[in-house]
Amino acid sequence: MANKIYDMIIIGGGPGGYTAALYAARAGLSTLVVEKLSAGGQMALTEQIDNYPGFEQGVDGFTLGERMQQGAERFGAVTELAEVLAVDLAASPKVVYTSEGDFYARTVVIATGANPRHLGLPREQELTGRGVNYCAACDGMQYRGKTVVVVGGGNSAAADALLLSRVAEKVILVHRRDTLRATKVYHQPLMKAQNIEFRWNSEVVALQAESKLTGVTVKDRLTGEESLLPCDGVFVSVGRQPATELVKGQLQLDDAGYILADETTRASLPGVYAVGDVRTKQLRQVVTAVADGAVAVHSAEEYLAELN
Ligand code: NAP
């Protein structure tokens, strides 16, 4: 039997991916979502989302992800739980090679998101889960009554420091500059929290550990002086790395590795679209990811109409 050719394959089941699936399936396109683990992507790791409209009490990211999946499946979108190993986006039809077999489609939406960036320190990988963490909402509860270091100065670091201040005894925020990049909404609560200390103009240069983390070495960038901060855990909140390994060499990327695509979400090959955090854009949020998902299907419908 000939292989089925989908109208659209979506790689990644976060908010951008499942919104594309909802719009595509609802428009009558045969739609497959390939997702590695479970719906929601990075959003599923967020304990409380207050800036997605329609939830007056906020909503947890895992629940929202599941609801987005169910909403798309209601119109016939199919989810395949598989790891994508490679893609051929220039072929006709386009091919998505996965751990569960090969899938074919006329259009492909890349919705692979972005993963936490690492500090790149010796032993960082080995100590992950043994004191080194990348998700305060996931792992913060282990540090009840303990001392933790948060590295970074953006919205993630600010949100993580506040969340951890409600659990840990002491939180030390280490930032490489003397001001936060985080939006103003975080500044006052951070300054008011009794148990958050700041180490400005400082960077973590080493992890101290035997079998698990016991502290970090911090270097003052102005004086060059190094000091040891004993702690039970470190949360690395220094931004994210786009998940574009699969499409390198096939799609144009910007200097930071994000897929180059404008508001139409069209990537550099016909019939390929980039949505959510993986796309070049100004603001990476759930609302902007879902908007991308809708726009991608609009662009894909125009492309499919020309193919026929
Ligand atoms: P981000 O805004 O890119 O901030 C990264 C922070 O880490 C910056 O302060 C940066 O320092 C620092 N940094 C980067 N590399 C470093 C290194 N090697 N060593 C030490 N520090 C390093 O990343 P983010 O906070 O993860 O946010 C990502 C996106 O998600 C943003 O668009 C953000 O607005 C969004 N977000 C929004 C919310 C919210 O609205 N509630 C919450 C979380 C995330 P410099 O300041 O010196 O560059």
Side-chain angles (χ1 to χ4, degrees):
M1 199 181 82
N3 283 306
K4 176 176 173 119
I5 301 174
Y6 287 92
D7 291 319
M8 179 176 282
I9 292 182
I10 297 152
I11 304 178
Y18 270 116
T19 304
L22 169 64
Y23 273 71
R26 192 164 174 269
L29 305 183
S30 56
T31 307
L32 179 74
V33 179
V34 184
E35 163 58 42
K36 194 160 44 174
L37 281 173
S38 61
Q42 288 288 313
M43 176 183 80
L45 306 177
T46 307
E47 192 184 34
Q48 170 84 3
I49 297 176
D50 288 321
N51 53 5
Y52 188 73
F55 297 90
E56 71 280 19
Q57 301 297 326
V59 58
D60 79 272
F62 186 80
T63 302
L64 188 56
E66 280 191 324
R67 285 210 201 169
M68 287 182 179
Q69 176 176 3
Q70 288 158 7
E73 290 179 354
R74 181 174 148 227
F75 290 100
V78 173
T79 299
E80 178 75 39
L81 285 181
E83 183 167 5
V84 177
L85 305 172
V87 290
D88 188 346
L89 299 174
S92 180
K94 302 176 191 307
V95 195
V96 178
Y97 303 94
T98 84
S99 55
E100 305 303 313
D102 305 341
F103 297 96
Y104 300 85
R106 294 178 184 87
T107 64
V108 172
V109 173
I110 312 292
T112 44
N115 299 312
R117 199 183 287 147
H118 294 190
L119 291 173
L121 295 174
R123 300 191 67 190
E124 184 172 351
Q125 203 163 351
E126 167 204 335
L127 292 167
T128 298
R130 283 193 273 155
V132 175
N133 308 276
Y134 299 90
C135 174
C138 323
D139 303 317
M141 291 310 285
Q142 295 169 31
Y143 296 93
R144 184 165 290 285
K146 300 196 166 163
T147 297
V148 293
V149 164
V150 174
V151 187
N155 280 332
S156 300
D160 287 356
L162 282 174
L163 187 154
L164 289 164
S165 73
R166 296 196 290 272
V167 178
E169 186 177 306
K170 185 162 140 190
V171 178
I172 307 165
L173 184 76
V174 177
H175 182 35
R176 63 185 181 185
R177 292 187 301 123
D178 62 359
T179 46
L180 294 175
R181 181 189 290 281
T183 45
K184 288 273 178 286
V185 71
Y186 287 116
H187 289 212
Q188 210 188 7
L190 277 174
M191 300 305 161
K192 265 173 70 180
Q194 298 290 318
N195 60 344
I196 303 181
E197 274 180 33
F198 297 88
R199 284 291 186 111
W200 303 110
N201 298 309
S202 299
E203 57 190 319
V204 172
V205 290
L207 302 169
Q208 303 300 331
E210 285 176 20
S211 64
K212 55 185 202 168
L213 190 84
T214 54
V216 297
T217 305
V218 172
K219 182 175 179 181
D220 185 311
R221 285 160 62 102
L222 303 180
T223 63
E225 220 169 273
E226 291 192 4
S227 53
L228 175 68
L229 286 183
C231 63
D232 304 288
V234 59
F235 285 81
V236 180
S237 307
V238 298
R240 290 185 291 152
Q241 187 88 39
T244 45
E245 209 44 55
L246 275 177
V247 302
K248 249 181 213 161
Q250 298 189 49
L251 298 180
Q252 284 178 18
L253 308 179
D254 72 6
D255 291 344
Y258 291 92
I259 298 175
L260 274 176
D262 64 13
E263 294 302 314
T264 66
T265 78
R266 288 191 196 104
S268 55
L269 281 175
V272 181
Y273 309 90
V275 307
D277 285 5
V278 78
R279 176 171 84 81
T280 46
K281 55 160 69 180
Q282 214 170 16
L283 183 65
R284 294 191 169 85
Q285 299 272 290
V286 179
V287 282
T288 62
V290 301
D292 279 1
V295 175
V297 174
H298 178 74
S299 300
E301 283 187 286
E302 287 179 350
Y303 170 80
L304 287 168
E306 274 172 31
L307 272 192
N308 294 327

